[in-house]
């Protein structure tokens, strides 16, 4: 029996609970709390007309609602408040409620406190979804009963009753989820860090500090996996509480996961174990070699090396990540809608040998775009732009060309809709070309999330004659 869980169930029944945000992760949370007999009020800035799907799922349940632009003005008299990850914890209404005695938490915070199983968790600016999925697949292939959650998979608090001590839980955690977390997983992985989400975080340092919560509350005997080639993550070893394990594609570490002679190798106390040849990894790109290195460092103590190699030879990648959608008249269309930052687009474009037709642009989240100029000059033949970041991406390219005085002939086209941009991409392509959606920007100007953006792109590509 999970004693912590039983205590939680008993204690929460007498509390008045607010759930902020009626989204994908919080609907299962609301259902779970109601089934426990909790008095729940759901808050959302959207109106009832915009929440038809959520209403349908919650129909018949004794849930109260506070909706519309002034929805937080009614945040009074609650004992416990579940924050949606995208909301800053210091908004005035929350601060006032906390000052009056309310406790602020989140679905993920409660799950980490109550989870009886060992938790592996991954964060970073790039590569965290693929690395999380790899860890899940490697541990599953070894025979463990695994749960996948956090930013991907199932909202796990609603499944907590089914999780057993012998299971393994694998989480992808964003900076928004980590901002207020005071429980760290026993195996924490940070893939890399670069400026990101500065439209929400007040500074780069606040973003970094949020990420550090993935390991700052670990215990002695826990493990922290860090990217040695990234200056920010490399520096975290000074604050590591448990064992620190590096992975590096560039350095010859005495201990950790290295890349040598085109192979991923685990080194420890003079012992070397070859894990997998890079040529046997199905998903392309140097960044995916690094993702496998991070996953190897996290799972090596729990699986056989051949299990990692088996997954590498069979795993074709995660949806919306350099996903081949269709080939039509010799033109290949790739969906990499997950690429919501310049660094992700740089990594995606680096996997192609020839110049591509790039679709980019979206919501501006306040991060630098200068680094993307070089990769566009080197890897793009036609650049199709859309959204608020379109002029910033074009400026980054133009600045690079001007500063380096190189010869570059990238055709730049601005579009207003995705229907137009997909049509123009196809009309500009010739047999042998690759068209890739890699926005280098978030999706929230036109879509609910990057998945919806990618699905719209795939639907439009499927309609091409």
């Amino acid at each position: 029996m999970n004693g912590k869980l039983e205590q939680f169930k008993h204690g929460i029944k007498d509390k008045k609970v607010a759930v902020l945000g009626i989204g994908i992760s919080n609907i299962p949370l609301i259902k779970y709390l109601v089934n426990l007999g909790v008095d729940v009020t759901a808050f959302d800035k959207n109106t009832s007309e915009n929440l038809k799907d959520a209403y349908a799922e919650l129909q018949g349940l004794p849930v109260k609602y506070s909706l519309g632009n002034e929805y937080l003005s009614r945040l009074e008299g609650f004992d416990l408040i579940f924050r949606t990850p995208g909301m800053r914890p210091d908004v005035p209404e929350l601060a006032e409620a906390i000052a009056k005695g309310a406790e602020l938490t989140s679905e993920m915070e409660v799950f980490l406190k109550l989870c009886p199983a060992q938790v592996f968790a991954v964060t970073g600016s790039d590569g965290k979804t693929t690395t999380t999925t790899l860890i899940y697949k490697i541990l599953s292939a070894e025979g463990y009963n695994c749960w996948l959650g956090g930013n991907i998979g199932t909202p796990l608090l609603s499944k907590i009753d089914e999780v057993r001590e012998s299971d393994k839980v694998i989480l992808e955690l964003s900076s928004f989820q980590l901002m207020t977390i005071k429980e760290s997983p026993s195996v924490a992985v940070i893939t890399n860090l670069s400026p990101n989400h500065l439209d929400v975080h007040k500074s780069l340092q606040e973003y970094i500090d949020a990420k550090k919560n993935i390991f700052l509350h670990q215990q002695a005997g826990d493990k922290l996996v860090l990217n040695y080639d990234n200056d920010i993550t490399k520096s975290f070893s000074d604050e590591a509480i448990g064992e620190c394990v590096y992975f590096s594609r560039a350095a010859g570490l005495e201990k950790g996961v290295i890349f040598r002679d085109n192979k991923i190798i685990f080194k420890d106390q003079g012992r070397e174990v070859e894990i997998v040849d890079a040529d046997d990894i199905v998903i392309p790109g140097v960044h995916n070699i690094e993702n496998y290195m991070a996953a190897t460092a996290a799972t090596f103590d729990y699986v056989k090396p051949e299990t990692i190699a088996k997954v590498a030879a069979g795993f074709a990648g995660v949806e919306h990540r350099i996903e081949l959608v269709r080939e039509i008249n010799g033109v290949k269309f790739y969906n990499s809608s997950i690429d919501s930052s310049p660094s992700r687009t740089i990594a995606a474009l680096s996997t192609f040998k020839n110049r591509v037709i790039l679709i980019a642009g979206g919501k501006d989240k306040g991060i630098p775009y200068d680094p993307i100029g070089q990769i566009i000059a080197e890897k793009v033949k036609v650049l199709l732009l859309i959204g608020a970041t379109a002029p910033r991406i074009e400026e980054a390219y133009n600045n690079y060309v001007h500063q380096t005085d190189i010869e570059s002939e990238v055709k730049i086209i601005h579009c207003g809709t995705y229907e137009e941009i997909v049509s123009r991409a196809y009309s500009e392509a010739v047999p042998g070309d690759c068209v890739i959606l890699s926005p280098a920007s978030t999706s929230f100007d036109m879509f609910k999330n990057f998945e919806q953006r990618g699905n719209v792109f795939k639907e439009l590509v499927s309609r091409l004659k």
Side-chain angles (χ1 to χ4, degrees):
M1 178 181 288
N2 186 341
K4 289 183 180 179
L5 178 58
E6 295 308 312
Q7 186 176 3
F8 169 78
K9 289 181 179 179
H10 178 76
I12 200 170
K13 285 183 179 179
D14 299 326
K15 293 183 177 179
K16 188 177 179 183
V17 175
V19 177
L20 308 185
I22 311 176
I24 295 173
S25 62
N26 279 348
I27 288 177
L29 169 65
I30 292 168
K31 290 180 179 179
Y32 182 71
L33 294 173
V34 168
N35 287 335
L36 293 179
V38 178
D39 180 0
V40 177
T41 301
F43 289 72
D44 202 289
K45 64 182 177 182
N46 289 300
T47 63
S48 57
E49 292 182 0
N50 296 327
L51 292 168
K52 290 180 180 177
D53 293 341
Y55 264 61
E57 281 207 55
L58 298 173
Q59 190 174 11
L61 297 179
V63 179
K64 304 181 186 74
Y65 295 94
S66 177
L67 307 175
N69 291 330
E70 303 298 322
Y71 72 115
L72 289 179
S73 65
R74 296 177 283 277
L75 197 61
E76 296 180 2
F78 289 93
D79 303 299
L80 188 62
I81 301 171
F82 283 84
R83 174 182 68 92
T84 190
M87 176 180 289
R88 289 189 59 87
D90 57 0
V91 299
E93 293 88 348
L94 276 178
E96 184 178 349
I98 294 168
K100 292 181 178 179
E103 178 186 353
L104 182 65
T105 189
S106 68
E107 183 260 347
M108 185 50 59
E109 289 179 70
V110 174
F111 176 80
L112 285 170
K113 289 179 183 178
L114 302 180
C115 180
Q118 184 182 25
V119 177
F120 296 68
V122 180
T123 195
S125 298
D126 303 316
K128 57 183 178 292
T129 301
T130 297
T131 303
T132 305
T133 306
L134 288 175
I135 293 172
Y136 171 80
K137 287 188 171 293
I138 290 167
L139 292 172
S140 297
E142 188 68 22
Y144 295 103
N145 186 49
C146 296
W147 299 84
L148 183 66
N151 264 359
I152 55 177
T154 305
L156 289 178
L157 184 57
S158 62
K159 302 289 185 181
I160 188 74
D161 293 88
E162 303 171 40
V163 180
R164 299 291 174 258
E165 189 174 349
S166 58
D167 295 346
K168 303 292 184 188
V169 173
I170 303 92
L171 305 173
E172 177 192 323
L173 298 178
S174 69
S175 60
F176 307 139
Q177 290 169 310
L178 287 165
M179 281 184 79
T180 54
I181 277 180
K182 295 178 177 60
E183 301 277 339
S184 295
S186 66
V187 179
V189 180
I190 306 181
T191 58
N192 50 64
L193 281 180
S194 59
N196 209 343
H197 299 300
L198 298 185
D199 56 335
V200 176
H201 291 289
K202 292 180 178 178
S203 65
L204 175 60
Q205 190 59 52
E206 183 186 83
Y207 172 67
I208 292 171
D209 289 342
K211 293 290 193 180
K212 286 164 64 174
N213 279 331
I214 199 171
F215 71 88
L216 287 179
H217 308 287
Q218 285 187 315
Q219 306 295 318
D222 289 343
K223 181 188 291 187
L224 171 61
V225 176
L226 295 175
N227 186 342
Y228 189 85
D229 301 333
N230 182 275
D231 289 339
I232 298 175
T233 57
K234 180 181 177 181
S235 69
F236 292 165
S237 61
D238 295 337
E239 301 176 77
I241 296 163
E243 177 191 12
C244 180
V245 180
Y246 283 121
F247 67 94
S248 173
R249 193 167 52 85
L253 304 172
E254 290 299 316
K255 178 183 178 182
V257 181
I258 65 169
F259 189 64
R260 191 183 67 216
D261 299 330
N262 208 46
K263 294 179 175 63
I264 294 175
I265 299 169
F266 183 89
K267 294 179 66 176
D268 186 21
Q269 298 179 345
R271 178 178 61 134
E272 292 192 2
V273 180
E274 289 189 5
I275 304 300
V276 64
D277 191 298
D279 291 339
D280 295 329
I281 296 175
V282 174
I283 49 177
V286 168
H287 60 298
N288 281 317
I289 292 174
E290 294 177 350
N291 293 336
Y292 267 101
M293 295 175 76
T296 296
T299 61
F300 186 83
D301 293 338
Y302 306 93
V303 304
K304 298 182 290 293
E306 50 265 35
T307 301
I308 303 173
K310 180 181 177 182
V311 171
F315 176 54
V318 182
E319 187 181 18
H320 306 298
R321 291 153 187 84
I322 319 181
E323 173 194 7
L324 178 60
V325 178
R326 183 187 183 192
E327 181 174 351
I328 177 172
N329 292 334
V331 179
K332 292 181 178 178
F333 286 81
Y334 289 88
N335 164 35
S336 202
S337 181
I338 185 65
D339 299 340
S340 59
S341 65
S343 57
R344 293 198 71 114
T345 294
I346 292 169
L349 294 182
S350 297
T351 66
F352 293 89
K353 293 181 180 179
N354 299 321
R355 289 179 177 268
V356 302
I357 296 172
L358 172 64
I359 298 173
K363 185 178 183 293
D364 193 340
K365 55 180 177 177
I367 60 178
Y369 273 83
D370 293 341
I372 206 172
Q374 181 177 353
I375 197 73
I376 292 174
E378 295 174 352
K379 290 287 188 177
V380 176
K381 60 184 287 187
V382 180
L383 176 61
L384 296 117
L385 294 171
I386 192 170
T389 59
R392 296 193 63 199
I393 295 170
E394 181 175 10
E395 181 183 26
Y397 164 71
N398 287 333
N399 286 345
Y400 175 78
V401 172
H402 177 73
Q403 291 164 7
T404 57
D405 199 28
I406 65 167
E407 292 187 10
S408 178
E409 296 182 1
V410 177
K411 184 176 182 179
I412 300 176
I413 302 169
H414 288 262
C415 298
T417 66
Y418 261 68
E419 288 82 1
E420 179 189 2
I421 212 167
V422 170
S423 176
R424 287 299 302 269
Y426 187 37
S427 66
E428 294 290 333
V430 297
D433 276 347
C434 293
V435 176
I436 179 170
L437 169 66
S438 180
S441 315
T442 62
S443 59
F444 304 122
D445 55 342
M446 300 174 69
F447 305 99
K448 291 190 297 184
N449 47 46
F450 74 84
E451 292 96 340
Q452 186 190 39
R453 176 171 63 188
N455 289 333
V456 167
F457 174 75
K458 291 196 288 184
E459 172 62 24
L460 293 169
V461 170
S462 72
R463 295 180 195 169
L464 293 173
K465 303 295 185 183

